Amino acid sequence: MSEDPPSESSSDPSPSSSDATDVRADGGAAGADDVALDPWGSATIGDYRKLFEQFGIEEFEEVLPEVPNPHYLMRRGVIFGHRDYRRVADALREGEDAAVLSGFMPTGDPHIGHKMVFDEIIWHQRQGAEAYGLIADLEAHAARGLSWEEIDEHTENYLLSFLALGFDPEEGEIYRQSGNREVQDLAFELGTKANFSELQAIYDFDGETNVSYMQSVVTQMADILYPQLEEPKPTVIPVGPDQDPHMRLARDLAARMRFFRVTEAYASFEVVEEDLGLLREAYEHRDEFAEDPERPRCIEAAEWLAEYETDAVEVKENLVRSLENAGKEPLRPRIRFLDRNATEDAFQALVESIEGEIRVYDEHIDTFEMTRNEAEDLAREVEVDHGGYGFYPPSSIYHRFMTGLTGGKMSSSVPASHISLLDDPEEGYEKVKAATTGGRETAELQRELGGEADDCPVYELYAYLLSGDDDEFAKRVYEECVGGERLCGDCKEQAAELMREFLADHQEKREEAREVLEGLELEIETPRRN
Ligand code: TRP
Ligand code: SF4
């Protein structure tokens, strides 16, 4: 999964013509046939299920049992997907090093959608992860054309809310892309591993795309790998699913920077991940086809495999051919280190540190007495000892987007559709009171049929924010709604009051955070010219 070829990264980078915006609590939604993931577009993520099928994002539910003290956004399925999060969950549970990082483009006011990401970072920080929050000001300038003056103003607002919500800047780090020289240097290095055609395929860039925009992509790649600069460690990037193309590229680049790639093989020829299942199968059946089961031959395996029934016909046929070509060579499982960027010293050092039987070739090393995990660890160790980064592919978690209060998408450019963290508490109250609901036409019908909490932006407010950690309360609202005991008027009144309280409290904390912000190293006013 970590090495999807770039061409697969985005099958359709243009905004989707999705007409389905009604995401249900079960993760499904009716309608949209294709999902386009476009980090700068306005595509609606109409069907989260497609993300699993088309893009290989995995369901969060499946790792949830391994997460220590899961956050309510995890428990309630708001965080619905992940890539490789198990690595981070394991580290948190075992008290090993881990990191969390996310970035914010300062294009407007921070709103309750950003609060989710702030909360995710802060939660990981409290679980012991090294935590980073960054302001993507280079991206806002290059990709969105904001002036530095606007960027500075928004930067301050984002950071005050981040601090007010509980980020600990003494333990963690806040930076602006423009002020972080290490990030920019790393971006430059990563840029040597990506080319224009690739960015074009992933992001739909063309000849008119400005160069700084492209630079902001490698800058984001550097942001994502920044926590591993001193030492490789499992790192999670909490984002919305629109950022997934960035994650795939970052995972690819992390792999391309590695000195060695560890794979499994069964003979001298190279195999891809898809072949491995069949090879394993053949090897396990060696008693059936080998004249000497201690020494099964590739050609014997080819004959056996040719008769084997599988849906992966093409994979099988190619494999049979490779096995035939290998002829009498023994079929024997091994772990292979492929040389990607290793220095000669590092290659030699790896050869010397492998125990047991080993075969050394020009560009790879085969070993017969170690597991894949041991090999991965060793490859990383040797790389780091010889001046490499040894990056782990960064992990990610994905949260659902909130529905706009007026239905449709929550959008920063439509004030009534969202609640800004800077909204006056009264205004927040009014916006909730004016929100669309999943209620029925009349109170009578509502009592009879129940409300549609799954399609109700007000219920979302309860689930995503207003219930806080109190699952019982969120559940009660849901059940009373669908059971017809709860009517929208009262329900909105209660939500509106909670929103007013939340905003008043948050804004008080923002004021207290001013002093902390001033104490940070980061400059709020850039010396850059507009
Ligand atoms: N591109 C992100 C956005 O549009 C911002 C961002 C920059 C980011 N660097 C990042 C997000 C690193 C996550 C991790 O909001
Ligand atoms: Fe939404 Fe509340 Fe009405 Fe149910 S009762 S539809 S949760 S506003």
Side-chain angles (χ1 to χ4, degrees):
M1 199 74 351
S2 62
E3 278 144 31
D4 298 348
S7 57
E8 268 178 33
S9 293
S10 179
S11 57
D12 173 13
S14 61
S16 102
S17 57
S18 155
D19 53 3
T21 50
D22 65 327
V23 175
R24 297 195 305 257
D26 66 2
D33 280 319
D34 74 345
V35 191
L37 290 180
D38 175 2
W40 295 286
S42 54
T44 311
I45 306 296
D47 187 347
Y48 291 104
R49 233 177 349 216
K50 285 281 182 345
L51 295 174
F52 303 128
E53 287 155 19
Q54 285 181 8
F55 296 99
I57 291 176
E58 291 180 82
E59 299 196 32
F60 193 82
E61 245 187 352
E62 159 256 346
V63 275
L64 184 60
E66 280 148 72
V67 182
N69 321 306
H71 189 271
Y72 70 81
L73 292 171
M74 297 172 169
R75 302 196 303 262
R76 291 179 205 156
V78 178
I79 294 173
F80 69 92
H82 77 101
R83 281 188 194 275
D84 232 357
Y85 187 64
R86 183 164 285 108
R87 200 198 301 283
V88 176
D90 289 349
L92 294 177
R93 223 182 35 245
E94 310 290 332
E96 288 162 10
D97 283 358
V100 60
L101 170 141
S102 196
F104 305 89
M105 240 210 290
T107 51
D109 286 351
H111 58 63
I112 53 178
H114 300 114
K115 176 184 180 288
M116 287 198 275
V117 184
F118 291 144
D119 286 345
E120 290 175 73
I121 298 176
I122 293 162
W123 178 85
H124 280 90
Q125 182 173 45
R126 293 185 178 156
Q127 304 307 307
E130 257 177 44
Y132 300 81
L134 69 100
I135 297 294
D137 56 356
L138 295 179
E139 183 180 352
H141 191 60
R144 293 285 179 81
L146 266 80
S147 73
W148 288 103
E149 200 179 328
E150 292 169 298
I151 288 173
D152 285 352
E153 181 194 329
H154 298 144
T155 295
E156 177 171 39
N157 279 329
Y158 273 81
L159 296 183
L160 287 175
S161 281
F162 190 29
L163 294 168
L165 290 168
F167 183 77
D168 177 354
E170 313 234 315
E171 287 295 322
E173 181 179 341
I174 296 179
Y175 70 86
R176 297 175 70 135
Q177 287 176 326
S178 65
N180 191 328
R181 179 64 204 238
E182 282 179 300
V183 162
Q184 289 168 35
D185 287 350
L186 179 57
F188 184 85
E189 292 305 324
L190 295 171
T192 65
K193 302 280 182 202
N195 64 32
F196 176 68
S197 306
E198 188 174 10
L199 299 193
Q200 187 175 31
I202 300 174
Y203 302 114
D204 213 16
F205 285 174
D206 61 25
E208 301 299 308
T209 307
N210 79 67
V211 174
S212 300
Y213 197 150
M214 295 184 220
Q215 194 183 329
S216 78
V217 170
V218 286
T219 305
Q220 175 157 353
M221 298 304 111
D223 289 331
I224 291 172
L225 295 170
Y226 178 61
Q228 302 195 59
L229 211 44
E230 245 162 58
E231 211 182 344
K233 58 179 75 70
T235 302
V236 61
I237 314 295
V239 278
D242 61 314
Q243 298 292 304
D244 187 55
H246 287 307
M247 286 312 305
R248 288 197 303 257
L249 179 59
R251 289 166 61 80
D252 257 359
L253 292 181
R256 286 180 213 162
M257 296 292 282
R258 296 297 308 276
F259 281 14
F260 306 101
R261 189 160 91 85
V262 174
T263 63
E264 291 168 46
Y266 280 80
S268 60
F269 62 86
E270 262 202 55
V271 290
V272 288
E273 212 56 44
E274 290 97 69
D275 296 342
L276 282 173
L278 286 177
L279 277 167
R280 233 172 261 138
E281 200 68 25
Y283 187 72
E284 268 158 32
H285 288 84
R286 63 191 177 279
D287 282 355
E288 291 170 25
F289 59 74
E291 212 178 286
D292 175 4
E294 297 281 299
R295 228 177 140 67
R297 310 273 178 184
C298 286
I299 183 77
E300 295 171 320
E303 282 159 21
W304 180 86
L305 192 63
E307 303 299 316
Y308 185 75
E309 272 187 44
T310 168
D311 291 338
V313 182
E314 221 175 301
V315 176
K316 177 178 115 172
E317 282 172 3
N318 284 332
L319 191 55
V320 168
R321 225 164 298 134
S322 303
L323 286 165
E324 281 168 357
N325 287 339
K328 292 205 164 159
E329 205 194 309
L331 183 76
R332 190 176 166 205
R334 64 198 70 192
I335 298 295
R336 176 168 294 164
F337 294 89
L338 295 159
D339 182 352
R340 289 203 143 175
N341 304 289
T343 56
E344 240 163 79
D345 281 356
F347 193 85
Q348 233 18 71
L350 181 61
V351 169
E352 279 155 30
S353 51
I354 294 168
E355 283 172 24
E357 192 186 338
I358 169 173
R359 299 230 174 107
V360 182
Y361 301 84
D362 258 6
E363 309 244 306
H364 72 265
I365 304 167
D366 280 358
T367 72
F368 299 86
E369 289 162 47
M370 70 196 312
T371 65
R372 191 164 179 169
N373 282 342
E374 288 164 351
E376 295 275 6
D377 288 346
L378 183 63
R380 179 166 290 110
E381 201 180 297
V382 170
E383 177 176 342
V384 170
D385 280 349
H386 288 80
Y389 297 106
F391 292 133
Y392 285 96
S395 310
S396 48
I397 52 177
Y398 302 99
H399 58 77
R400 289 166 198 273
F401 291 119
M402 288 175 104
T403 311
L405 297 177
T406 44
K409 222 184 132 213
M410 184 173 278
S411 159
S412 321
S413 51
V414 184
S417 78
H418 73 278
I419 289 175
S420 154
L421 296 175
L422 311 185
D423 277 349
D424 185 86
E426 277 319 309
E427 197 181 336
Y429 174 93
E430 294 299 337
K431 280 187 186 174
V432 176
K433 290 284 276 194
T436 313
T437 71
R440 308 285 176 181
E441 249 126 77
T442 63
E444 215 134 84
L445 270 178
Q446 177 110 342
R447 286 206 184 86
E448 197 183 310
L449 304 170
E452 295 184 283
D454 289 328
D455 287 326
C456 177
V458 178
Y459 177 68
E460 264 182 40
L461 291 178
Y462 280 105
Y464 289 41
L465 186 148
L466 301 173
S467 306
D469 213 35
D470 190 347
D471 287 350
E472 286 307 309
F473 178 55
K475 212 166 136 205
R476 189 161 10 104
V477 172
Y478 187 88
E479 277 165 6
E480 287 174 2
C481 170
V482 299
E485 295 156 56
R486 192 172 256 269
L487 296 184
C488 296
D490 289 346
C491 182
K492 285 211 277 188
E493 176 63 28
Q494 187 181 18
E497 282 169 18
L498 288 169
M499 185 60 79
R500 181 164 57 196
E501 261 171 59
F502 163 73
L503 288 171
D505 175 63
H506 179 65
Q507 288 164 18
E508 213 175 285
K509 293 192 174 123
R510 276 174 57 95
E511 285 314 309
E512 291 162 17
R514 276 187 195 281
E515 213 176 311
V516 183
L517 184 59
E518 274 161 30
L520 298 186
E521 247 170 64
L522 146 158
E523 282 189 74
I524 292 297
E525 272 174 54
T526 50
R528 296 184 183 230
R529 300 186 187 200
N530 281 306

